[in-house]
Amino acid sequence: MAAAGSDATAAVAAASGAIAAVLEEDSVGIAAASEGAALAEGDSVAEAGSERISSQVRGESEKTFWDNLIMLKCRFRFILGESLRKVQWDRYTLVPFERNFYTPSPALTNADPREVEKYRAAKEITVVRGRGVPNPITSFRDVNFPDYVNREIEKNGFTAPTPIQAQGWPIALSGMNMVGIAMTGSGKTLAYLLPGIIHINHQPYLERGDGPIVLVLAPTRELAQQIQEVAIEFGRSSRIKNTCVFGGAPKGPQMRDLESGCEIVIATPGRLIDFLEMGKTNLRRCTYLVLDEADRMLDMGFEPQIRAIVSQIRPDRQVLMWSATWPKEVRRLAEDFLEGDYTHINIGAQELHANHNILQVRREQSNIMYYVVTSMYCTVLYYTVAVGVVQCVIISYFIRLWTCATSTRRRPSSPAC
């Protein structure tokens, strides 16, 4: 027993010494490693047979081992975006870029303010903040879009802009920074991508080694891929290249797209930081930044990564932040990134939420699933413990009530109830 305890103590001491040597690379770590090796060979502490001394040495060795292991973990812990050096933009002479491409029709410019407010009230458009906010467009004829944009609009069969597009397009095309609060499924993707495509077509062509002109950050790969579909559809006529970079997929194809040059990059924060740290792309040419579903990105803990990415973009960039809610965390982010005056618009009720149409579909799906599961549950109980159908339905009903009560306490918008 004493020999086994001595061997365990020796192993712990040896491991602790090795870690200490890695951490400090000094005589203390080397001495600890030597001491552990000596103990393993049967040093005097083990040979003495003193249980008290052996226990004391074992306890101290184990404590040193775990302390050093924690130090080693902290020393080599990788924090995403930590290695990105913040660019000192005041040391650079930034080349001015064009950002105002809005040419409304005279009828829209000279519209009666009472009619404008009437339209905003009908579409639940609220201008929360901003000076000189352009009038919303009521039809596509109100804006002198380029021909390549009009062709894509006609091709997709759009008859009128959605409320977020009606007010968002004039603001974005005017080069203003903006915050748009709107429920999911309101057409906000096209509200920022179409001005982004026009923005790209007014900038110099990309040169070898340049990064994107338009950067869209999204919280999930699913949303990023949906945004890319719209970018492909409306950027095809202008031959604008885009790519979508996200985790959970091979880096090779994404890396090749970035190295070949893309005007639009849709990305999740983590994977984009990987490529920035690898030097496969840069954001020196980025002049149009979009944060889509900013509230969700903050909920997922992406704030440090977002700040690291934004530090790589020139400070006079145009920023469009989109969110479904307006909590204090999103407000703080807006104040930090949208320096100076910015326009804040709200679409829908003041208490914002996800699109009720989408939620209704989820509720119907949940109800169908409930009846399917209840039928299976009752069938099993009927053939196993001979519980009657009525009793089974009653039991299932109370289980559903309990599930709804607990789920709504965690998430009031739960579609299960």
Side-chain angles (χ1 to χ4, degrees), residues 161-281:
T162 65
I164 190 65
Q165 295 166 358
Q167 187 63 80
W169 278 339
I171 296 172
L173 289 170
S174 298
M176 300 179 179
N177 293 335
M178 68 168 290
V179 171
I181 309 296
M183 59 186 179
T184 304
S186 59
K188 66 181 187 308
T189 302
L190 194 59
Y192 61 74
L193 271 184
L194 192 146
I197 291 172
I198 298 175
H199 181 99
I200 290 170
N201 287 322
H202 284 80
Q203 310 304 323
Y205 289 108
L206 292 181
E207 298 180 358
R208 184 176 181 83
D210 282 345
I213 297 174
V214 171
L215 173 63
V216 181
L217 293 180
T220 63
R221 61 182 294 176
E222 292 80 13
L223 178 59
Q225 290 172 323
Q226 293 173 14
I227 297 170
Q228 186 184 29
E229 292 176 2
V230 180
I232 293 173
E233 182 71 24
F234 281 83
R236 183 182 296 113
S237 58
S238 302
R239 297 183 179 180
I240 291 177
K241 293 186 293 182
N242 70 79
T243 188
C244 187
V245 298
F246 49 83
K251 290 184 178 180
Q254 299 176 5
M255 189 183 305
R256 286 191 291 271
D257 288 343
L258 292 173
E259 290 178 332
S260 64
C262 292
E263 288 85 0
I264 300 177
V265 169
I266 305 110
T268 55
R271 178 54 63 91
L272 178 60
I273 284 182
D274 286 345
F275 289 126
L276 289 172
E277 291 178 331
M278 294 166 61
K280 299 302 179 181
T281 189

Side-chain angles (χ1 to χ4, degrees), residues 84-104:
L84 285 177
R85 182 176 299 176
K86 187 175 181 178
V87 181
Q88 302 296 327
W89 291 107
D90 54 347
R91 300 180 181 178
Y92 294 86
T93 302
L94 299 177
V95 179
F97 64 94
E98 189 176 357
R99 58 194 296 166
N100 188 349
F101 322 107
Y102 187 48
T103 54

Side-chain angles (χ1 to χ4, degrees), residues 359 363 366 399-417:
L359 184 59
R363 281 178 174 162
S366 177
I399 291 175
R400 179 177 172 82
L401 288 180
W402 176 81
T403 304
C404 288
T406 55
S407 65
T408 51
R409 280 199 298 269
R410 292 193 303 266
R411 186 176 55 188
S413 61
S414 175
C417 307

Side-chain angles (χ1 to χ4, degrees), residues 104-407:
S105 65
L108 182 61
T109 305
N110 302 320
D112 186 347
R114 290 173 296 182
E115 292 297 325
V116 171
E117 292 304 320
K118 183 178 178 180
Y119 177 84
R120 284 175 175 162
K123 299 297 183 180
E124 295 186 308
I125 301 173
T126 305
V127 179
V128 180
R129 170 178 173 173
R131 293 181 298 180
V133 179
N135 294 335
I137 62 175
T138 57
S139 68
F140 296 116
R141 296 187 302 272
D142 292 337
V143 185
N144 296 319
F145 280 136
D147 292 338
Y148 58 86
V149 172
N150 288 325
R151 284 195 298 268
E152 294 299 333
I153 290 175
E154 293 174 1
K155 180 180 177 181
N156 284 271
F158 296 149
T159 57
T162 65
I164 190 65
Q165 295 166 358
Q167 187 63 80
W169 278 339
I171 296 172
L173 289 170
S174 298
M176 300 179 179
N177 293 335
M178 68 168 290
V179 171
I181 309 296
M183 59 186 179
T184 304
S186 59
K188 66 181 187 308
T189 302
L190 194 59
Y192 61 74
L193 271 184
L194 192 146
I197 291 172
I198 298 175
H199 181 99
I200 290 170
N201 287 322
H202 284 80
Q203 310 304 323
Y205 289 108
L206 292 181
E207 298 180 358
R208 184 176 181 83
D210 282 345
I213 297 174
V214 171
L215 173 63
V216 181
L217 293 180
T220 63
R221 61 182 294 176
E222 292 80 13
L223 178 59
Q225 290 172 323
Q226 293 173 14
I227 297 170
Q228 186 184 29
E229 292 176 2
V230 180
I232 293 173
E233 182 71 24
F234 281 83
R236 183 182 296 113
S237 58
S238 302
R239 297 183 179 180
I240 291 177
K241 293 186 293 182
N242 70 79
T243 188
C244 187
V245 298
F246 49 83
K251 290 184 178 180
Q254 299 176 5
M255 189 183 305
R256 286 191 291 271
D257 288 343
L258 292 173
E259 290 178 332
S260 64
C262 292
E263 288 85 0
I264 300 177
V265 169
I266 305 110
T268 55
R271 178 54 63 91
L272 178 60
I273 284 182
D274 286 345
F275 289 126
L276 289 172
E277 291 178 331
M278 294 166 61
K280 299 302 179 181
T281 189
N282 61 79
L283 302 176
R284 291 188 293 269
R285 282 291 308 272
C286 181
T287 50
Y288 189 94
L289 171 65
V290 177
L291 303 177
D292 198 357
E293 294 196 6
D295 54 345
R296 192 175 176 191
M297 284 196 284
L298 293 182
D299 288 342
M300 297 172 68
F302 282 132
E303 182 174 352
Q305 288 77 31
I306 295 173
R307 293 186 179 276
I309 291 170
V310 174
S311 70
Q312 306 297 303
I313 306 175
R314 55 190 292 168
D316 59 344
R317 61 197 173 251
Q318 182 179 358
V319 183
L320 289 80
M321 182 181 294
W322 303 87
S323 180
T325 57
W326 187 235
K328 60 181 181 180
E329 294 81 9
V330 178
R331 298 178 192 178
R332 186 180 68 249
L333 207 66
E335 294 294 337
D336 292 345
F337 293 162
L338 286 70
E339 299 178 357
D341 291 334
Y342 64 87
T343 302
H344 174 191
I345 62 173
N346 185 83
I347 308 298
Q350 293 297 321
E351 293 295 329
L352 294 165
H353 39 68
N355 194 326
H356 285 300
N357 298 327
I358 298 174
L359 184 59
Q360 183 62 34
V361 172
R362 295 177 64 195
R363 281 178 174 162
E364 292 173 357
Q365 292 174 345
S366 177
N367 290 333
I368 294 172
M369 182 60 66
Y370 163 69
Y371 291 121
V372 171
V373 172
T374 301
S375 301
M376 296 173 61
Y377 174 70
C378 291
T379 303
V380 171
L381 288 181
Y382 179 79
Y383 285 104
T384 54
V385 293
V387 174
V389 175
V390 176
Q391 293 91 330
C392 177
V393 172
I394 293 173
I395 293 172
S396 301
Y397 176 73
F398 282 105
I399 291 175
R400 179 177 172 82
L401 288 180
W402 176 81
T403 304
C404 288
T406 55
S407 65

